[in-house]
């Protein structure tokens, strides 16, 4: 059983299917590992120990009896604390939902269970997925497995850390403006935000409904393909999921990418990128050239408006989505109530953290009668331009190459202002505004900290990203995750 945690989901799955490894033993070992190392990392907010072991036993039994099993049979996976799972506490890492237990399985959770994956636990995140540090969780902070004095990124920081710490094989995150890709980059793992409308959001606690998308985080691109096979596809409970065919994503692995055209947007290579991060981008492009790829300069002229546009639209949608948490129907209710106004005001004032309140206030303001045209409507128009930029660029190239973040993981005690943090999202949020898919893949290290490259694709072009990503991994070479024990 030595070092099984180092394997990819793809590899461990083979071993389970062949009967070389029993899922129950594996799950047991994974929990031992989590008990040993997670107090230093804090990837998880809760574990499903008894349930997971029971589920693993059932899968082992099925395999032993030669019954048909799902695509992730017996593989330990984790979900983010904003994905509803029946009978499990799901809190969005907020006080306002600290007592909430899921009463149904959200679609991705249902699909994981149908694929016979073993959900071992629920991972930490920024409150309501608003943030890029995982420091705003009501439960605890998460530390970067590469350096415990640094953030893992966010908001899916627990999910990315759980993979970097080799505590799970696939971890689902959600990405509204970069929350899968940025923590994946900071933690040296792979993370994909699928096209808007590729994966159901049913059972995902909404942050900004027109931007949110669930996606996988894992050690290798092959695991992303496997996870996408399970979670993608139409859903009767989410009308925004597009009813188009889901390919077998594993067919894009280990392909020749000679002749592929990769666009490099000039607006993304700006001052302000850490020069060492920049060097990794340049050397990664060289590696793509070795693969016979053609590198083409493209222009995305509205890039500079992406951050302000996102920080109008996302808070506007959040203020509307979060109106349901009123202390009446479910969630936290203040004890300090004398009348109906107190009930709403005190429950919300006590139940939400500062960043969530900040966004509710911004959102309410930009949607208010007097300012709607100046802010929200304007932002929607700029969003359309950002989307047009990508459409034009994709007329000439197959995928687009960019950094994920201008920096490596910042220090936990780094007191960045909200605006400074918002500006860090510059390379990830355009993909959400345009609805296109993006993947972050580890490419190198700066002072011992991982740096990822980002590949962006055409709508529903996840396969091309997997193809290019899998080819890149080969020229990049082996990628070791930190030893933690
Ligand atoms: N960092 C971004 C924000 O704070 C992205 C969050 C996300 O993708 N959920 O909004």
């Amino acid at each position: 059983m030595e070092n099984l945690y180092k394997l990819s989901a793809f590899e461990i799955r083979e071993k389970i299917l062949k009967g070389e490894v029993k899922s129950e033993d594996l799950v047991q070992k994974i929990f031992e590992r989590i008990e040993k190392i997670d107090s230093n990392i804090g990837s998880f907010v809760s574990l499903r120990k008894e349930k997971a072991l029971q589920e693993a036993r059932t899968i082992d039994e099925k395999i032993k009896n030669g019954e048909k099993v799902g695509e992730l049979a017996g593989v330990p996976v984790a979900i983010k604390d904003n994905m509803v799972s029946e009978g499990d506490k799901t809190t969005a890492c907020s006080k306002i939902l600290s007592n909430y237990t899921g009463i149904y399985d959200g679609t991705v959770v249902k699909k994981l269970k149908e694929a016979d994956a073993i959900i071992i636990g629920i991972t930490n995140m920024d409150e309501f997925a608003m943030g890029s540090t995982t420091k705003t969780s009501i439960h605890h902070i998460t530390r970067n497995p590469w350096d415990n004095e640094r953030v893992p990124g966010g908001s899916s920081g627990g999910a990315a850390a759980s993979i970097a710490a080799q505590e799970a094989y696939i971890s689902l995150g959600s990405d509204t403006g970069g929350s899968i890709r940025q923590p994946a980059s900071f933690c040296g793992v792979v993370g994909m935000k699928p096209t808007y409308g590729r994966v159901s959001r049913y059972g995902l606690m909404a942050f900004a409904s027109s931007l949110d998308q669930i996606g996988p985080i894992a050690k290798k691109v092959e695991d992303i393909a496997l996870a996408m096979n399970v979670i993608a596809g139409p859903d009767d409970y989410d009308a925004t999921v597009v009813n188009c065919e889901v390919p077998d994503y594993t067919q894009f692995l280990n392909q020749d990418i000679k002749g592929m055209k990769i666009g490099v947007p000039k607006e993304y290579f700006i001052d302000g990128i850490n020069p060492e991060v920049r060097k990794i981008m340049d050397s990664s492009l060289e590696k793509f050239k070795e693969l016979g790829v053609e590198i083409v300069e493209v222009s995305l002229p509205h890039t500079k408006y992406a951050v302000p546009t996102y920080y109008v639209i996302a808070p506007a949608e959040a203020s509307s989505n979060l109106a349901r948490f009123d202390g009446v129907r479910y969630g936290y209710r203040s004890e300090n109530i004398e009348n109906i106004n107190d009930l709403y005001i005190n429950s919300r004032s006590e139940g939400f953290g500062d960043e969530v309140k900040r966004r509710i206030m911004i959102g309410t303001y930009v949607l208010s009668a007097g300012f709607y045209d100046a802010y929200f409507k304007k932002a929607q128009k700029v969003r359309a331009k950002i989307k047009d930029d990508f459409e034009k660029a994709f007329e000439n190239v197959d995928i687009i190459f960019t950094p994920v973040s201008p920096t490596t993981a910042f220090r936990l005690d780094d007191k960045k202002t909200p605006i400074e943090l918002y500006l860090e999202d510059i390379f990830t949020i355009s993909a959400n505004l345009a609805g296109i898919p993006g993947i972050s893949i580890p490419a190198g290290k700066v002072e011992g900290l991982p740096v990822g490259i980002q590949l962006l694709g055409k709508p529903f072009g996840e396969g091309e990203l997997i193809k290019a990503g899998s080819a890149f991994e080969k020229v990049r070479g082996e990628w070791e995750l930190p030893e933690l024990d």
Side-chain angles (χ1 to χ4, degrees), residues 227-247:
M228 285 299 293
N229 278 358
V230 171
I231 63 171
D235 180 20
D236 289 345
Y237 294 105
D238 179 357
T240 62
V241 184
V242 175
N243 201 350
C244 70
E245 204 205 330
V246 181

Side-chain angles (χ1 to χ4, degrees), residues 80 128-132 154-155 174-180 207 212 310-311 314 355 359 421-422 425 428-429 432:
K80 187 173 172 178
F128 279 102
M130 298 174 189
S132 29
S155 64
S174 65
D175 190 313
T176 304
S179 278
I180 289 175
F207 162 11
D212 298 342
Y310 172 87
Y311 280 99
E355 183 59 27
R359 301 211 187 186
L421 281 173
Y422 298 168
D425 296 337
T428 48
I429 56 187
N432 301 75

Side-chain angles (χ1 to χ4, degrees), residues 166-230:
Q166 299 154 87
E167 300 167 315
Y169 294 87
I170 291 169
S171 227
L172 294 189
S174 65
D175 190 313
T176 304
S179 278
I180 289 175
R181 292 159 286 154
Q182 181 256 24
S185 175
F186 281 12
C187 289
V189 295
V190 186
M192 176 185 271
K193 177 202 98 76
T195 310
Y196 184 80
R198 181 86 281 190
V199 177
S200 171
R201 291 176 293 113
Y202 178 65
L204 173 69
M205 291 169 171
F207 162 11
S209 310
S210 77
L211 303 161
D212 298 342
Q213 195 60 194
I214 292 173
I217 302 180
K219 295 183 190 105
K220 287 187 177 171
V221 173
E222 61 188 22
D223 297 349
I224 299 293
L226 204 53
M228 285 299 293
N229 278 358
V230 171

